Amino acid sequence: VIAFIIIWLINTVIKNNNYKQCYEIFTGSFGKIIGNIACLSLVVYALFSVSTGLRVLGEEIKVYLLERTPLEFIFLITILSSVYLVRGGIDNILRFNQICFWLMFIPIFIVFMFATYGIDFSNLLPVFVNKPLDYFKASVTGVHRYGGLEILFFNNPFCNA
């Protein structure tokens, strides 16, 4: 529910600003100085998130797939392929995602079909035994799980159809 509210807010901001780029929205709404600081903080946050994700992805690839490959080489290949996709524009990124979605979705679906056989759903019980304040505290700390929604500021101006 929180993710949908955040997505709705981001889409509303972008629509109200006629699908301008993120930098134009921030500098037009907050002024040049505060807008630049907001853009810089968004870039630093995105850079930190991407670098953390790349590190985790590289470690997982090294542990499960390429045990003897240096981590730096995995980083280099991932960064070079990302640069190639980004330089190609939004169309190449979308085509790549269309292919990768099916390459990931079908095996995950097959694995879940076999994994759910004989599952005991009673392990999920009891539900709602804590105080509502505890759920609110957990949702505030768990909102970081929805990180990455700020990418809508960068993608939505391309999708103004």
Side-chain angles (χ1 to χ4, degrees):
V1 175
I2 295 171
F4 290 122
I5 293 171
I6 294 172
I7 290 170
W8 178 77
L9 287 172
I10 290 173
N11 282 332
T12 304
V13 166
I14 292 172
K15 284 179 187 175
N16 288 342
N17 288 292
N18 296 325
Y19 295 95
K20 293 180 183 174
Q21 293 289 331
C22 176
Y23 176 76
E24 295 170 351
I25 292 173
F26 284 163
T27 55
S29 299
F30 300 119
K32 191 156 181 92
I33 296 172
I34 297 175
N36 284 337
I37 292 171
C39 283
L40 182 65
S41 66
L42 187 65
V43 166
V44 168
Y45 172 73
L47 187 64
F48 178 75
S49 297
V50 167
S51 62
T52 304
L54 179 63
R55 174 71 184 209
V56 170
L57 177 69
E59 290 286 344
E60 288 177 354
I61 289 173
K62 183 173 176 63
V63 167
Y64 295 114
L65 296 174
L66 306 170
E67 296 174 0
R68 293 180 288 176
T69 305
L71 193 58
E72 294 80 13
F73 183 73
I74 296 171
F75 288 163
L76 181 67
I77 296 299
T78 307
I79 291 171
L80 288 177
S81 62
S82 300
V83 167
Y84 176 75
L85 284 171
V86 169
R87 295 278 306 201
I90 193 76
D91 291 334
N92 289 346
I93 295 172
L94 293 176
R95 287 187 189 116
F96 177 76
N97 286 339
Q98 286 175 344
I99 294 169
C100 285
F101 175 77
W102 293 110
L103 289 176
M104 290 183 288
F105 181 73
I106 292 171
I108 287 173
F109 180 73
I110 292 170
V111 166
F112 279 145
M113 271 185 11
F114 291 114
T116 56
Y117 178 74
I119 195 168
D120 184 17
F121 287 106
S122 66
N123 290 332
L124 299 174
L125 297 175
V127 180
F128 299 121
V129 295
N130 296 327
K131 298 178 217 171
L133 185 62
D134 293 336
Y135 290 113
F136 179 73
K137 288 178 184 176
S139 67
V140 170
T141 58
V143 79
H144 298 291
R145 296 289 179 202
Y146 299 111
L149 292 178
E150 70 276 352
I151 198 74
L152 293 174
F153 275 119
F154 300 112
N155 286 345
N156 278 3
F158 293 108
C159 308
N160 60 356

